[in-house]
Amino acid sequence: MHKNLILGTTIAGAIIAYALKPKKPKTELEAKGVPIPTTPTYLPLQIDGVLHYILSVLAGRDELEFLRAISTEMGNTINLRGFNQDFIIVLDPSSIQHILAKNQPNYEKGPEFQAIFHEFLGSGIFNADGEAWKTQRQLARPHFQTSEFRDAALINRHVDQLIKVIDNHISKSPDAPLDVQELFCRFTLDEASEFLFGETVNALELGNTEFSTAFNYAQSITAWRFRVPLWRYVVPTKQFLREIKKLDTFVYKIIDNAIARQEKRVMEQEQQPGDGKHEMKEGYDTLLDHFLSQRSEHGFDREYLRHMLLNFLLAGRDTTASLLSWTTWKLTQYPDVLAKLKQEIAEVIGPDTVPGYDDIKKLKYQKQVINEVLRLCPPVPFNMRQSVEEDLLPNGYYIPPGTPVSYSAYTTHRLPELWGEDALEFNPDRWGPERVGSIKPFMFVPFHAGPRICLGQNLAYTTAQVTLTRLLQRYDIQAKPGFEPQQVGDIVLFSRNGVEVLIRKKSISKF
């Protein structure tokens, strides 16, 4: 994206904002509240602050550490004001609890958030508010509650394919590094698409498919829409819409096939009356089948189903890939943790036993490791809401109506006043019985919290634990000498340059 275009757009946005911003007298609640500290700027309409942020992102600066540095200087409630518009960040657990739980109806995704995601996600659960969100969540919840991945069969099928890809890499290039981030994105795309659609994308086998490439492009453009003022006129649209059309072609074909199967099944049941129940292959129903079973009652059309499926795919695919990628990296940096984890797997699961759902629940230390990765590398590092009406936070700070209010799990998870002087250190023992009691509600929000807490968090834990167990049973992993991942805080926390590791097969005797 050209820097002069960014500069011109920013200045134009500042002029428009200044001209249109209404001046209002203080309300009674505002008079009672405390003004939120605002980041210092030196030019009218905070143009210098806005430009500094955008150009630093374009230059590859770490946005998340940028925010953490500001919070260290200014405290845990900050107003990143620009163009005379408030953009509030809250980091303390009491404020996060207020926004996500205690006064949750007052903090919606909001019209601007929905406009940014509209072409990509439509009115699906990730992008919905109010009754639309409630209905979708109520309909989806039973499927996530009952699909405990019995015997983790679906996950293990895709791990089998993952192992084939890794073995092929080792046989062809045994000393070459492997980008596990790219590999885990393909793996979780296959797993999530089968879980949701009943049909896998086959990204592990085929590489970067048209669907996966379009999906990645749509996410990238959507992330820039959040960053750039007047994004409707600056961020590319034509190519974006072409990629969205590719997603639609793929998803609508799956929906139409599923509808045809359902209609055929209903016809067969009418001809041979029974109890009305049916079984999918291996006794497993997909989320799509779950929604289709309620289509006549709720009037779902093809577009509604498309929105739902892509929303859950975004939520489930990249977040789990991020978790697996950062877990792998952390284990290469902490060989003592890796050795302890391998020992637990050897004692609890065995050297080559394929773990089931009940097996991985016995891996207590592994769960501690994953929680510590989620603390330092939360898959969704930053989340945004918008106030409906004016409000006061528990700490007395005033929130105007219609104002973006965000929280950053990445920064909150690193606050020394919450996590101790070793807050920046990777230490799975903080989740052990001696320390876990000090972790209070809303200190740890990798899956959000309150009514909108992630429906798929159990799926994420299960996938990560099954996959990690089987990979450590089979392989030795080491860091690539001189490699350092460059985290980027887009919609999901990934590394800009991948996560490259050295991976080799191990002998059973070494386990």
Side-chain angles (χ1 to χ4, degrees):
M1 208 168 295
H2 200 281
K3 292 184 180 181
N4 289 337
L5 182 60
I6 295 292
L7 177 62
T9 303
T10 302
I11 293 173
I15 295 171
I16 293 170
Y18 181 77
L20 299 180
K21 180 71 173 179
K23 302 294 188 297
K24 296 181 180 179
K26 284 187 176 182
T27 66
E28 182 178 342
L29 189 64
E30 184 178 4
K32 293 179 181 178
V34 179
I36 297 173
T38 304
T39 49
T41 59
Y42 305 98
L43 293 178
L45 306 178
Q46 309 87 37
I47 294 176
D48 52 334
V50 175
L51 281 175
H52 175 65
Y53 166 70
I54 293 175
L55 295 178
S56 68
V57 172
L58 289 172
R61 183 175 179 180
D62 189 332
E63 299 171 77
L64 298 170
E65 284 300 309
F66 175 71
L67 173 60
R68 197 170 70 81
I70 292 176
S71 71
T72 300
E73 295 177 5
M74 301 188 61
N76 294 336
T77 309
I78 312 159
N79 188 353
L80 301 179
R81 191 169 170 80
F83 298 164
N84 282 350
Q85 299 288 331
D86 295 321
F87 189 88
I88 295 166
I89 310 290
V90 300
L91 303 173
D92 63 287
S94 62
S95 293
I96 295 174
Q97 182 180 27
H98 182 81
I99 291 168
L100 298 186
K102 290 186 175 180
N103 198 19
Q104 182 263 342
N106 191 55
Y107 294 91
E108 298 184 337
K109 293 296 179 109
E112 183 63 15
F113 184 101
Q114 291 164 345
I116 287 171
F117 273 100
H118 177 70
E119 291 93 346
F120 186 16
L121 300 181
S123 56
I125 190 169
F126 184 78
N127 207 30
D129 282 320
E131 289 303 316
W133 164 75
K134 287 181 182 178
T135 299
Q136 294 178 51
R137 187 175 177 92
Q138 288 170 356
L139 290 171
R141 184 189 293 115
H143 181 66
F144 284 91
Q145 290 176 335
T146 58
S147 61
E148 295 289 358
F149 278 77
R150 343 189 218 288
D151 301 325
L154 185 147
I155 298 173
N156 276 309
R157 283 203 305 275
H158 292 288
V159 175
D160 288 340
Q161 184 64 32
L162 177 65
I163 287 172
K164 289 180 182 178
V165 175
I166 296 174
D167 283 352
N168 184 57
H169 167 83
I170 293 173
S171 66
K172 290 182 176 179
S173 308
D175 298 320
L178 179 65
D179 182 0
V180 293
Q181 177 176 274
E182 189 269 343
L183 195 60
F184 286 141
C185 281
R186 288 158 56 192
F187 162 70
T188 54
L189 181 58
D190 282 353
E191 179 211 8
S193 60
E194 183 174 355
F195 173 69
L196 296 171
F197 309 152
E199 297 184 30
T200 180
V201 176
N202 285 323
L204 275 174
E205 180 181 355
L206 302 176
N208 289 321
T209 65
E210 185 175 70
F211 178 86
S212 62
T213 301
F215 195 83
N216 293 339
Y217 184 84
Q219 284 185 261
S220 174
I221 293 299
T222 301
W224 271 105
R225 287 180 165 189
F226 276 105
R227 296 184 177 111
V228 178
L230 301 179
W231 58 266
R232 292 172 176 83
Y233 310 103
V234 179
V235 179
T237 301
K238 289 184 178 179
Q239 178 65 23
F240 177 69
L241 294 178
R242 284 196 294 268
E243 299 303 314
I244 293 295
K245 190 173 181 179
K246 293 176 184 177
L247 297 180
D248 290 348
T249 299
F250 180 87
V251 175
Y252 280 130
K253 181 180 178 181
I254 289 173
I255 291 172
D256 290 341
N257 289 342
I259 290 173
R261 287 196 305 269
Q262 186 202 41
E263 290 175 347
K264 180 180 178 181
R265 186 164 49 234
V266 170
M267 186 180 301
E268 291 173 348
Q269 288 174 346
E270 290 175 350
Q271 293 172 353
Q272 298 178 355
D275 60 7
K277 296 181 180 179
H278 68 277
E279 291 187 357
M280 297 288 289
K281 58 181 180 180
E282 301 188 14
Y284 185 79
D285 287 329
T286 69
L287 186 66
L288 176 55
D289 286 305
H290 179 70
F291 276 98
L292 284 176
S293 69
Q294 303 173 73
R295 185 164 63 118
S296 58
E297 179 182 352
H298 295 277
F300 299 149
D301 58 16
R302 294 167 73 248
E303 184 180 35
Y304 185 93
L305 293 167
R306 176 261 189 211
H307 296 339
M308 287 296 299
L309 293 177
L310 283 180
N311 274 254
F312 279 107
L313 185 61
L314 175 65
R317 176 254 193 170
D318 279 1
T319 52
T320 307
S322 171
L323 173 56
L324 283 167
S325 300
W326 290 112
T327 301
T328 303
W329 174 252
K330 290 296 185 184
L331 291 176
T332 67
Q333 302 302 295
Y334 294 87
D336 55 331
V337 174
L338 178 57
K340 187 173 180 180
L341 185 53
K342 287 181 177 180
Q343 185 62 32
E344 181 186 52
I345 292 171
E347 293 175 356
V348 176
I349 307 295
D352 53 13
T353 301
V354 175
Y357 181 81
D358 293 332
D359 296 322
I360 61 169
K361 299 307 171 188
K362 301 173 186 175
L363 298 172
K364 304 302 183 184
Y365 185 70
Q366 187 187 71
K367 183 70 172 289
Q368 292 176 212
V369 170
I370 290 174
N371 277 338
E372 186 67 347
V373 175
L374 287 169
R375 184 181 73 86
L376 289 174
C377 308
V380 181
F382 195 85
N383 214 300
M384 189 171 81
R385 297 288 188 269
Q386 181 171 313
S387 60
V388 179
E389 299 177 351
E390 63 178 350
D391 191 22
L392 286 183
L393 296 177
N395 51 20
Y397 285 120
Y398 173 74
I399 305 293
T403 301
V405 182
S406 298
Y407 67 96
S408 170
Y410 180 91
T411 306
T412 297
H413 291 178
R414 281 171 159 75
L415 294 176
E417 59 266 38
L418 299 178
W419 299 93
E421 293 304 313
D422 65 344
L424 300 184
E425 297 177 15
F426 180 75
N427 180 12
D429 288 338
R430 76 174 73 248
W431 298 93
E434 296 81 9
R435 295 185 61 178
V436 72
S438 64
I439 300 173
K440 306 301 182 186
F442 296 88
M443 277 176 57
F444 182 63
V445 285
F447 297 104
H448 313 310
R452 294 191 83 135
I453 192 168
C454 177
L455 284 171
Q457 63 175 301
N458 185 58
L459 168 59
Y461 275 117
T462 304
T463 301
Q465 289 195 260
V466 168
T467 306
L468 190 60
T469 297
R470 293 195 60 191
L471 294 185
L472 293 183
Q473 285 174 325
R474 189 175 182 85
Y475 304 107
D476 287 319
I477 55 172
Q478 292 178 312
K480 174 188 173 183
F483 177 81
E484 189 70 31
Q486 301 171 6
Q487 68 180 20
V488 55
D490 277 342
I491 300 171
V492 175
L493 181 64
F494 276 128
S495 167
R496 184 179 284 106
N497 57 334
V499 176
E500 295 189 0
V501 301
L502 301 176
I503 187 165
R504 296 178 176 88
K505 287 184 183 180
K506 61 163 45 168
S507 63
I508 294 179
S509 61
K510 283 185 63 178
F511 199 94

